[in-house]
Amino acid sequence: MTGPANLRFEFPRDTLRGRVLLLAGGSGGLGAATAVLAAAEGARLVIGYRSKRARAEQLQESLAERYGSSIELVEGEIAREAVRRRYLSAAAELGPLYGLVCFSGSPARVDWKTARAGDLAASLEANYSGPVLLARDAARQMQQEKQSGAIVLLSTMQAVALFEGSTNYAGPKAALILAARILAREVGGPDGVRVNVVAPGVNRAGMALASIESGKYDRFVQEGIIPRFGRAEDVARVVRLLLEPDNYVTGQVITVDGGLTLRR
């Protein structure tokens, strides 16, 4: 007999130990926090980065020193098929791919009033096409390896609420949410792949850091709209929840913004 009467609940620990995770864009603020959380639990990591090799190598060395982790690094833009193949090949060398978290994207900081077709195309590739194609390829590899796993894509609070002037960034990120839900339906099932989205708010990490440092969002704290600016750890904890084996969540978006989109 189980239940409240005898408090026999199951809360497994270290459930990512030995599992292969691919963290695209995993060397930046949000990705690095997730990498630390996963490495501390004993996950086997492939960390992808676009161009900042020194930063990626520093993270690799730090995780090796702190946790004894063996981290594979992959460089390149995930919209390119050859780069995605390198990602998945690196993961296959470590074992069956269990999880993908895609932090890759671009803030698309071009004034919407003067944006041109090329600006929109660049944002679409960085914030939608690349992540969606990598998610598709990762799901396919999991299915081929008969691996029940998890995919987490990163969107933004700007994709779930209306922020003036954000069309060139929010549009692709909103499309990413819908694509993730469709993919969750296509590859899910009792032994399938779960697909979810995390939509960060104003965080002292990643793309929002520059805006925070410019004072753009100061009024949100000053007026009590949010209690504080977000931290990379806030996002990493939610990502970790969605990576949990036997998780009961799929096809969903979780907004991690301190309530900003509710009260602004």
Side-chain angles (χ1 to χ4, degrees):
M1 178 178 178
T2 61
N6 52 25
L7 302 181
R8 292 181 182 175
F9 300 104
E10 293 185 14
F11 296 107
R13 296 184 179 182
D14 290 344
T15 52
L16 293 183
R17 186 165 300 281
R19 295 183 186 269
V20 178
L21 300 181
L22 199 167
L23 306 183
S27 63
L30 301 179
T34 302
V36 168
L37 198 56
E41 197 168 332
R44 310 177 75 182
L45 303 180
V46 174
I47 295 178
Y49 63 98
R50 181 180 295 141
S51 60
K52 296 181 179 179
R53 183 174 184 83
R55 183 176 70 174
E57 290 179 338
Q58 183 179 23
L59 176 62
Q60 181 186 42
E61 293 171 5
S62 296
L63 293 177
E65 181 179 350
R66 186 181 302 183
Y67 303 111
S69 305
S70 178
I71 311 296
E72 297 295 323
L73 298 180
V74 179
E75 181 178 7
E77 173 54 62
I78 60 173
R80 299 176 183 173
E81 184 177 358
V83 173
R84 297 197 303 275
R85 284 201 301 265
R86 290 204 299 271
Y87 270 67
L88 296 173
S89 176
E93 291 180 5
L94 298 178
L97 177 62
Y98 169 75
L100 161 69
V101 187
C102 188
F103 298 94
S104 302
S106 168
R109 291 193 177 97
V110 176
D111 189 339
W112 165 241
K113 296 178 182 178
T114 58
R116 299 185 177 185
D119 300 319
L120 298 184
S123 178
L124 186 68
E125 180 176 280
N127 295 307
Y128 175 79
S129 303
V132 167
L133 289 171
L134 182 58
R136 178 204 64 185
D137 295 351
R140 183 178 297 160
Q141 181 158 313
M142 293 177 193
Q143 290 176 318
Q144 291 172 348
E145 296 173 339
K146 300 186 184 306
Q147 175 72 42
S148 177
I151 293 174
V152 182
L153 302 179
L154 271 288
S155 183
T156 171
M157 67 176 182
Q158 295 179 44
V160 298
L162 302 180
F163 288 81
E164 294 82 354
S166 67
T167 300
N168 46 323
Y169 176 59
K173 286 294 193 178
L176 183 68
I177 292 174
L178 182 59
R181 296 187 66 194
I182 295 171
L183 185 61
R185 183 174 179 129
E186 291 177 343
V187 302
D191 298 311
V193 180
R194 291 171 287 102
V195 185
N196 291 288
V197 179
V198 175
V202 183
N203 287 273
R204 288 192 177 279
M207 298 179 190
L209 181 58
S211 295
I212 289 177
E213 292 178 340
S214 73
K216 178 180 178 180
Y217 295 125
D218 284 354
R219 74 174 185 88
F220 294 141
V221 175
Q222 293 168 354
E223 296 174 12
I225 295 172
I226 53 177
R228 59 171 172 80
F229 293 128
R231 296 187 289 260
E233 295 92 331
D234 297 321
V235 174
R237 284 194 293 262
V238 175
V239 170
R240 174 60 186 84
L241 167 68
L242 296 173
L243 288 175
E244 177 67 23
D246 196 36
N247 189 289
Y248 205 50
V249 180
T250 190
Q252 304 302 312
V253 54
I254 299 178
T255 304
V256 187
D257 70 345
L260 192 153
T261 52
L262 296 176
R263 308 186 190 101
R264 63 181 289 270

